[in-house]
Amino acid sequence: MMKYHKFLTPLALAVSLGAANVAAAQQLTMGVRGGPESMDPHFSALGSHAEAAKHIFDTLVWSGDDLQIEPGLATSWSPVDEDTWEFKLREGVKFHDGSDFDAEDVKFSIERIPVVSGPTTTTIYVRRVADVEIIDPLTIHIHTDGQAATLPNDFIRLFIVSSEAAADYSTPETAAQGFNSGAATIGTGPYKFVSWEPKGDLVLERNDDYWRGKGAWETVVRKEIPNDSSRLAALKAGQVDVINYVSSVDYLALQNDSSVDAVIGDSVYVMNLQLDQREDTPLVRAIDGSDLDENPLRDQKVRDAIDYAIDRETMVDIVLEGLGKPANQMMPPGFFGSSEDIPMPEYNPAKAKELLADAGYPDGFEVDLYCTADRLPGDGAICQGLGQMLTQVGIKTNVNAISKTVYFPAQARLEYSMFMNGWGTLTGEASYTLGGLAHSNDPDVKLGAFNRIAYKNAEVDKLLQTGATMMDPDERRATYEAAMEKVMADKAYISLVQLQTVWGAKAGMLEFTPRFDEDTLAFFIKPAS
Amino acid sequence: MLGFIIQRFMQAVVVMAVMSVIVFCGVYAIGNPIDIVIPPEATEEIRLNTIRRLGLDRPLYEQYFIFIGNLLQGDLGRSFVYNVPVLELIGGRLPATLELVLISVISATVIGVSLGIYAGYRPDSWLSKTIMAVSVLGFSVPSFWVGLILILTFAVNLGWMPAGGRGDTVEILGIEWSFLTADGLSHIVLPAVNLALFKLAMMIRLARAGTREIMLTDTIKFARAAGLSEATILRRHLLKLISIPIITVFGLELGSTLAFAVVTETIFSWPGVGKLIIDSISVLDRPVMVAYLILVAFLFVTINFVIDLVFALIDPRIRHGASA
Amino acid sequence: MSDQSTPLRRFWAEFRENKVAVVALVVMVLMGLLALFASVVSPQNPYDLANLSLMDSRRPPGFVGSGGYTHLLGTDPQGRDLLSAIFYGLRISIQIGLAAGFVSLTIGTFLGILAAYLGGRIETLIMRMVDLQLSFPAILLALVIVAMLGQGKAQLIGALVAAQYAYFARTAYGAAKAERGKDYIEAAVATPLSTRLVMLRHLLPNCTPPLIVVATVQIANSISLEATLSFLGLGLPVTEPSLGMLISNGFPYMMSGRYWISVYPGVALIILIVAINIVGDQVRDQFNPRLRR
């Protein structure tokens, strides 16, 4: 028996007895697709892990509904010199055990991360940090390794744990035990830890002294229900009050269901088709199976043809059943670095055929298309739709919609010629997306690490390198917008659709604003008035 | 008798040793967990560190001996994904699975054997034919499909039962049981029916076949000739004679139901071991897979051992002529 | 029962008495033919992407699609005609069932007869291994092996074979062992006939009836196991769906009332498996001498 759910029984009882009526105002039960991998917030960088941690712990920098950065445990920050940032900390914040929050906790948390991080590493949040210097209890200086214009963005998932409570639980061997048992699970966040079972329920109770104010719910139960249908069924059966990730399939049905409210939010994920730019690419061949003289995907006309062949409207309306938007660039509109000057590509299969013929492929060619089938809603279906559209203009496409556990390792080994997966601009700004995907892969400048198609445009490279060092936000924005326009015009990356996410909630019971990062946070969900 | 027990026990130990090698090597031949455990964007340094931390840089035989060394001290390793001892992970979910399996197998056996005996005893009655028709269905229809239909009918359309999860539990002897609360019971009905259906069909067929064969034997003919009442014949001869295969199957089915629970638990989101193992396979969490398989193997070996002993008690011939 | 006819005729005469089994046999053969001639009887080739249109996707039964013909059973999320997809899916399911059944039959029979014929250490080794495996649930074994080998038709068949050959081995062994003890085999072994000949000519024929029974059941089991694995996401790629894959693809749509995507392939799967099992049952009863009055 696991020792850390001693409180579960009475609470679980309350859940189902009072789910629909009396307890409704005091308790919120959330059915979520994924849960934390541990109660140690520094263990994993997975979105679902951070989402759970945000209930108990705070971050220095808060990322708002639209991913704009806002004060969190830090009230303000500013660069002191080229490689130092100063953070002013919030005064009077107390941990759940009553102790005071101060600079010591920040330093402790930052230094703890590399030690206890699990495989999905949280070190990405502190990769630029060289040293932490405590100036006074409410001021710290972060010395960075070179210039780090986006350091505050890195800190949106830097959770602050108590340097006292977690002192004995900060080695890889002891961390899980200390945090899973609750001994070290002491944060400053809106809810206090009660119990957790891996892949099961996370039970929380309200922190009445929360610095943002008191939350609406006395207790919160976060139930992990990975299966989309089961999660929806649990909502319909009244076992949970709100669920995340309603599948596009079920969304239509929900619209006719008066007992459930659907809340739609834009997601940070954009589906991108990626075309290998190497001279020799493995999975492209002539229609008769023979080798081609050169990689057709390197021909701008072919890439344009592919873009014309794609009917984004149909993809959204039919494949995603309306839950998405046609995309013309790799980030959602409004993000830092998204350009308003990029036109929405046109669907014109006749033109596509014409361009293919022009490029010297009047009979088309054959290609193996690879995509994930189990990572994001609709990815497998979009892939198959894409296959149909390309085949219909003469590019014979063999669709392989496969598991992400096979896809990503093979993609990293550069085994594919044409592939599609979603990319989420989790930080809300372009240095993350363009720096990772569009710069030529160059470990020396730490850029282009996810560029798996050998895409290289010297102008883009230059823009991205200068953009990374610009401290003036307006200049930086213009630089990234220019880079985005160039990348999208080259069409080695073809953005298809931006996904949308749906939450389901009991009708008329809850009020909340969907967040761009798709987090479902109990503190920001209010009972309907 | 003692010699027989010792001999069987030694056999069981050897089997376990062999199983541990097979399972360990088998699971460790699967893919490369590193590619899945760390994100694609990890640097080479992080990658190497993780490999070292998980002990994957050592040769296979070394990993095996480390594993066995720990195993003998009761340590089955730590999950790659959760970084907690595997035993804790599995132990926390075992009661849920055991509860589901026991309820399913026991009800399937009691109902199945009664129906089967009837169908074998009166093979030509319409009721027997119906029972057999249903059993063919239960035997044939894949259990995941039955699960889907059960959810669609009883949870979605009729709304009588919850579609998944475990519901309330009551703690007895430090273990939580859901069949003792009304809410828990309502949660267990659908998965238990789903899991029991296949076993039910199997028990019916087994009992029917046994009954039919026995009813045609000389023993029964003589008993009838001797004027014994049908009830006495059923009770004294039939039940006794069919009990041996049924005990065997009961034991074996307990184990295989445990395995089949994988499917049922996935469909009904039942928080048991089966769901854990499916998740572990998809993320290649080797320690969990190995521990689970070793535990299942251990369970089977134990069950077989116990069945052998029970047989020996029931049937003296086995005990004496034991060499197998 | 007439005695002047061949054994096969006698067998058929007895089989014919069970009307249900005859119907099941007809259904089984019919489905086999549908699968075999899927490309002829299907209104559409559901695997040819150039033929599909997303505009036709998820249409209810009876919809007239852009191809100009009626989708009798509706269409799936990719705009495939469901009836065609079922025929093609039937083909894949049966293919896999037969392939797995046949390979397990061969390997299992060989091991079983070998063990019975040779005796001694080899017998103990083989049969211990087989017993060990029999006590291990097939689904779990298949699950682990599929995870180990990866996705694909050959891998799936491999997993099914590994999970099922032991049943054949046990059956062949039982029958061959009983026969091995008889005088005529001892005599045959004593003559300068080759080992292979004795095994082929004398042991194998005696194992055939029980093996046929096991084979029918195991083919049905393979088909159902494949469907289960596909449902758990460990089966075939989604682009060439077997029946199990079609069911699992369609399941999410059930909640929103688009039952046909999942239900019709499910019905086809069940009819197939039930038919095979009923035929297998009848054959078993006929082969079981103890049920003869």
Side-chain angles (χ1 to χ4, degrees):
Chain A
M1 199 72 274
M2 305 200 99
K3 47 191 166 306
Y4 39 85
H5 64 252
K6 45 185 182 280
F7 298 107
L8 191 64
T9 315
L11 278 172
L13 210 70
V15 178
S16 40
L17 289 182
N21 38 51
V22 196
Q26 289 92 45
Q27 171 160 325
L28 180 71
T29 309
M30 309 190 287
V32 293
R33 185 170 66 188
E37 296 187 340
S38 153
M39 273 297 110
D40 185 341
H42 300 148
F43 182 68
S44 167
L46 283 186
S48 53
H49 189 86
E51 179 192 81
K54 277 184 188 175
H55 288 87
I56 305 171
F57 302 95
D58 277 314
T59 51
L60 278 191
V61 179
W62 178 251
S63 123
D65 294 345
D66 294 329
L67 300 187
Q68 74 282 14
I69 54 176
E70 293 171 3
L73 282 180
T75 50
S76 65
W77 49 86
S78 54
V80 180
D81 57 45
E82 284 243 306
D83 49 12
T84 309
W85 280 86
E86 180 178 270
F87 285 82
K88 286 278 186 199
L89 305 183
R90 194 173 292 276
E91 205 180 336
V93 175
K94 289 203 183 304
F95 280 102
H96 296 157
D97 61 359
S99 59
D100 287 323
F101 156 76
D102 62 23
E104 197 58 52
D105 300 305
V106 177
K107 184 175 161 71
F108 176 79
S109 298
I110 291 176
E111 287 170 353
R112 185 178 182 275
I113 285 177
V115 184
V116 298
S117 169
T120 313
T121 185
T122 47
T123 52
I124 47 172
Y125 306 135
V126 293
R127 71 203 147 140
R128 307 304 306 271
V129 178
D131 190 29
V132 184
E133 187 188 347
I134 298 179
I135 304 298
D136 64 55
L138 294 176
T139 312
I140 52 165
H141 281 180
I142 309 277
H143 299 287
T144 57
D145 161 23
Q147 230 170 12
T150 56
L151 188 76
N153 290 89
D154 284 358
F155 280 4
I156 57 171
R157 280 185 182 171
L158 170 63
F159 294 103
I160 305 301
V161 302
S162 156
S163 59
E164 284 133 52
D168 294 338
Y169 303 106
S170 293
T171 64
E173 290 75 30
T174 54
Q177 189 216 346
F179 276 84
N180 292 352
S181 68
T185 328
I186 307 291
T188 56
Y191 287 92
K192 297 179 190 173
F193 174 83
V194 176
S195 73
W196 175 64
E197 192 180 354
K199 297 243 159 237
D201 297 358
L202 169 61
V203 182
L204 303 161
E205 65 180 9
R206 182 167 59 201
N207 169 13
D208 289 337
D209 303 321
Y210 188 46
W211 58 268
R212 273 198 176 99
K214 218 156 86 166
W217 315 98
E218 260 169 39
T219 51
V220 170
V221 180
R222 198 176 171 283
K223 281 175 145 10
E224 199 176 331
I225 312 175
N227 183 289
D228 289 347
S229 308
S230 309
R231 203 163 52 250
L232 180 60
L235 176 68
K236 285 188 173 178
Q239 294 161 335
V240 298
D241 304 316
V242 57
I243 58 171
N244 62 4
Y245 299 110
V246 173
S247 71
S248 58
V249 169
D250 297 321
Y251 167 63
L252 272 191
L254 276 195
Q255 289 179 315
N256 306 323
D257 188 332
S258 59
S259 68
V260 174
D261 285 342
V263 180
I264 303 178
D266 284 347
S267 116
V268 293
Y269 284 96
V270 172
M271 293 289 184
N272 297 312
L273 178 64
Q274 305 169 51
L275 308 174
D276 189 16
Q277 296 300 301
R278 287 175 291 174
E279 302 206 348
D280 216 4
T281 192
L283 304 177
V284 177
R285 60 198 83 83
I287 285 290
D288 60 8
S290 62
D291 285 341
L292 290 166
D293 294 337
E294 52 195 24
N295 174 4
L297 303 175
R298 282 172 64 84
D299 189 328
Q300 180 78 42
K301 279 185 191 147
V302 172
R303 297 199 298 270
D304 285 339
I306 290 175
D307 200 21
Y308 278 121
I310 298 167
D311 182 356
R312 291 171 170 80
E313 295 289 341
T314 299
M315 253 178 201
V316 169
D317 294 345
I318 309 280
V319 178
L320 296 176
E321 304 208 59
L323 267 189
K325 293 174 176 172
N328 59 355
Q329 54 193 312
M330 292 147 99
M331 298 194 305
F335 275 26
F336 189 94
S338 286
S339 167
E340 286 173 8
D341 298 332
I342 300 176
M344 186 54 74
E346 176 198 355
Y347 169 56
N348 190 340
K351 187 112 182 234
K353 284 182 192 158
E354 203 176 292
L355 280 166
L356 278 178
D358 263 11
Y361 303 98
D363 304 322
F365 54 89
E366 185 180 342
V367 63
D368 298 341
L369 168 67
Y370 279 83
C371 326
T372 56
D374 54 359
R375 179 155 175 258
L376 292 167
D379 49 3
I382 291 174
C383 191
Q384 297 188 59
L386 200 56
Q388 284 185 21
M389 291 168 183
L390 295 180
T391 303
Q392 277 153 13
V393 300
I395 302 172
K396 185 166 181 282
T397 310
N398 308 311
V399 176
N400 298 277
I402 57 176
S403 160
K404 59 180 183 246
T405 56
V406 181
Y407 174 88
F408 281 109
Q411 194 222 51
R413 290 192 299 267
L414 310 179
E415 286 175 8
Y416 300 149
S417 293
M418 188 191 264
F419 50 100
M420 186 213 73
N421 60 267
W423 175 275
T425 306
L426 301 170
T427 57
E429 46 77 47
S431 74
Y432 176 74
T433 296
L434 292 180
L437 292 170
H439 193 282
S440 56
N441 190 344
D442 186 350
D444 291 342
V445 291
K446 292 188 178 172
L447 287 169
F450 311 114
N451 180 347
R452 303 274 157 77
I453 56 172
Y455 170 69
K456 184 173 171 72
N457 180 331
E459 285 177 71
V460 172
D461 281 5
K462 194 156 165 263
L463 285 170
L464 293 178
Q465 285 180 31
T466 44
T469 59
M470 286 175 176
M471 288 297 203
D472 178 64
D474 291 335
E475 265 179 63
R476 241 175 65 220
R477 183 191 290 271
T479 310
Y480 281 114
E481 282 177 9
M484 182 65 90
E485 285 159 21
K486 288 192 193 308
V487 175
M488 295 327 291
D490 282 341
K491 300 207 186 297
Y493 289 101
I494 298 178
S495 298
L496 309 171
V497 290
Q498 178 196 353
L499 298 179
Q500 286 180 315
T501 330
V502 181
W503 284 262
K506 273 190 198 153
M509 210 188 113
L510 305 174
E511 266 174 21
F512 70 100
T513 319
R515 289 175 54 88
F516 240 123
D517 58 13
E518 304 174 8
D519 280 358
T520 311
L521 303 176
F523 182 77
F524 296 94
I525 299 179
K526 313 265 186 236
S529 41
Chain B
M1 184 70 190
L2 190 67
F4 173 74
I5 294 178
I6 292 175
Q7 185 212 5
R8 282 293 153 140
F9 182 73
M10 290 311 294
Q11 269 185 12
V13 171
V14 171
V15 167
M16 272 315 293
V18 173
M19 279 307 282
S20 78
V21 176
I22 296 177
V23 164
F24 193 86
C25 295
V27 169
Y28 275 65
I30 300 177
N32 185 355
I34 278 296
D35 287 335
I36 291 163
V37 158
I38 61 174
E41 55 261 40
T43 62
E44 194 56 25
E45 190 194 341
I46 293 171
R47 191 185 158 85
L48 291 177
N49 267 333
T50 313
I51 291 179
R52 207 170 313 122
R53 197 166 55 79
L54 299 180
L56 295 173
D57 52 341
R58 298 167 193 268
L60 187 61
Y61 69 90
E62 221 178 295
Q63 292 185 39
Y64 175 73
F65 283 116
I66 294 174
F67 169 75
I68 288 294
N70 291 337
L71 181 68
L72 292 178
Q73 294 162 30
D75 175 7
L76 279 165
R78 286 175 99 85
S79 155
F80 286 173
V81 175
Y82 292 100
N83 194 31
V84 293
V86 171
L87 217 51
E88 200 175 306
L89 210 55
I90 292 182
R93 320 186 115 233
L94 202 55
T97 299
L98 279 182
E99 177 175 15
L100 181 63
V101 166
L102 281 175
I103 290 184
S104 305
V105 174
I106 291 174
S107 48
T109 308
V110 172
I111 300 173
V113 170
S114 328
L115 293 181
I117 290 180
Y118 179 82
Y121 185 65
R122 296 233 179 285
D124 296 320
S125 83
W126 65 269
L127 185 60
S128 301
K129 294 213 160 125
T130 316
I131 292 174
M132 288 319 291
V134 171
S135 98
V136 172
L137 272 180
F139 206 64
S140 314
V141 180
S143 106
F144 75 92
W145 169 253
V146 178
L148 303 190
I149 296 299
L150 285 176
I151 292 186
L152 193 66
T153 315
F154 294 101
V156 177
N157 287 341
L158 296 174
W160 291 352
M161 309 274 179
R166 197 177 170 197
D168 300 346
T169 52
V170 172
E171 197 170 309
I172 293 176
L173 302 175
I175 296 176
E176 294 186 7
W177 302 99
S178 43
F179 74 101
L180 293 172
T181 66
D183 180 61
L185 205 59
S186 76
H187 278 82
I188 208 171
V189 170
L190 289 186
V193 167
N194 184 210
L195 194 57
L197 217 56
F198 182 81
K199 308 298 155 194
L200 182 73
M202 176 173 245
M203 286 296 177
I204 290 179
R205 290 158 73 97
L206 204 73
R208 168 181 172 267
T211 309
R212 279 191 75 186
E213 275 181 24
I214 289 163
M215 292 311 283
L216 295 175
T217 56
D218 294 342
T219 323
I220 302 292
K221 283 182 193 150
F222 287 140
R224 277 188 178 146
L228 287 178
S229 76
E230 287 292 296
T232 319
I233 292 176
L234 279 186
R235 197 160 14 109
R236 213 185 272 166
H237 296 285
L238 184 67
L239 268 182
K240 198 170 170 189
L241 283 169
I242 64 168
S243 64
I244 291 189
I246 294 212
I247 290 174
T248 321
V249 172
F250 180 87
L252 287 176
E253 283 312 298
L254 203 63
S256 86
T257 312
L258 208 64
F260 237 96
V262 170
V263 179
T264 303
E265 286 179 9
T266 309
I267 300 171
F268 290 93
S269 307
W270 186 258
V273 186
K275 215 157 125 284
L276 180 75
I277 192 67
I278 286 280
D279 294 340
S280 305
I281 288 179
S282 63
V283 296
L284 293 187
D285 196 345
R286 283 178 181 170
V288 179
M289 290 163 78
V290 169
Y292 175 75
L293 291 174
I294 295 252
L295 287 178
V296 171
F298 179 71
L299 190 82
F300 274 101
V301 170
T302 314
I303 289 174
N304 279 332
F305 180 61
V306 171
I307 290 174
D308 279 347
L309 289 189
V310 173
F311 267 9
L313 289 177
I314 297 181
D315 189 345
R317 277 173 312 175
I318 297 178
R319 174 160 77 208
H320 296 308
S323 67
Chain C
M1 228 182 287
S2 53
D3 278 326
Q4 77 274 29
S5 49
T6 64
L8 201 65
R9 273 235 184 106
R10 254 181 288 141
F11 190 85
W12 172 237
E14 201 183 331
F15 191 94
R16 230 172 34 190
E17 285 176 25
N18 184 345
K19 295 280 176 299
V20 178
V22 173
V23 173
L25 185 67
V26 171
V27 169
M28 199 174 105
V29 171
L30 204 68
M31 292 189 103
L33 288 176
L34 280 177
L36 196 62
F37 296 107
S39 50
V40 183
V41 291
S42 300
Q44 178 199 64
N45 175 359
Y47 301 158
D48 182 1
L49 291 178
N51 265 335
L52 306 181
S53 167
L54 281 175
M55 302 310 277
D56 293 342
S57 61
R58 293 183 291 261
R59 300 301 189 157
F63 172 79
V64 181
S66 55
Y69 48 86
T70 311
H71 297 289
L72 287 175
L73 300 183
T75 60
D76 84 344
Q78 292 304 317
R80 286 189 200 105
D81 174 51
L82 211 55
L83 187 67
S84 313
I86 289 175
F87 289 158
Y88 277 78
L90 207 54
R91 167 140 89 182
I92 293 190
S93 290
I94 292 179
Q95 240 175 30
I96 288 179
L98 283 180
F102 186 74
V103 178
S104 344
L105 175 75
T106 315
I107 297 178
T109 309
F110 175 74
L111 284 177
I113 294 184
L114 195 72
Y117 182 84
L118 293 178
R121 282 251 176 92
I122 297 183
E123 175 183 11
T124 320
L125 187 74
I126 293 179
M127 293 324 290
R128 272 282 136 201
M129 192 172 80
V130 165
D131 284 343
L132 189 69
Q133 239 207 284
L134 276 182
S135 70
F136 218 68
I139 174 98
L140 204 63
L141 209 65
L143 213 66
V144 172
I145 293 174
V146 165
M148 204 150 88
L149 300 177
Q151 289 183 324
K153 241 186 227 176
Q155 287 91 326
L156 195 62
I157 292 172
L160 293 174
V161 168
Q164 300 195 314
Y165 83 93
Y167 294 92
F168 292 96
R170 178 122 277 308
T171 312
Y173 172 78
K177 187 77 182 165
E179 215 58 31
R180 177 72 174 82
K182 290 185 180 159
D183 290 346
Y184 81 99
I185 298 277
E186 293 296 342
V189 173
T191 62
L193 281 174
S194 78
T195 307
R196 209 167 7 150
L197 220 55
V198 175
M199 294 211 294
L200 272 181
R201 212 180 270 172
H202 298 293
L203 291 181
L204 191 58
N206 278 296
C207 303
T208 309
L211 282 174
I212 292 176
V213 175
V214 176
T216 30
V217 175
Q218 289 305 323
I219 287 172
N221 275 353
S222 300
I223 293 174
S224 145
L225 203 56
E226 181 274 323
T228 307
L229 289 175
S230 293
F231 177 77
L232 292 175
L234 293 163
L236 292 170
V238 287
T239 36
E240 284 188 22
S242 65
L243 290 178
M245 205 64 215
L246 284 174
I247 297 171
S248 128
N249 282 348
F251 178 57
Y253 297 93
M254 270 196 172
M255 295 262 196
S256 48
R258 287 165 289 189
Y259 63 90
W260 61 89
I261 309 175
S262 193
V263 167
Y264 291 138
V267 169
L269 177 72
I270 287 161
I271 292 177
L272 176 67
I273 297 178
V274 170
I276 299 179
N277 271 323
I278 291 176
V279 172
D281 255 14
Q282 176 62 23
V283 175
R284 183 208 323 262
D285 282 358
Q286 275 179 245
F287 277 141
N288 189 345
R290 281 175 295 182
L291 288 182
R292 298 274 167 115
R293 268 154 287 191

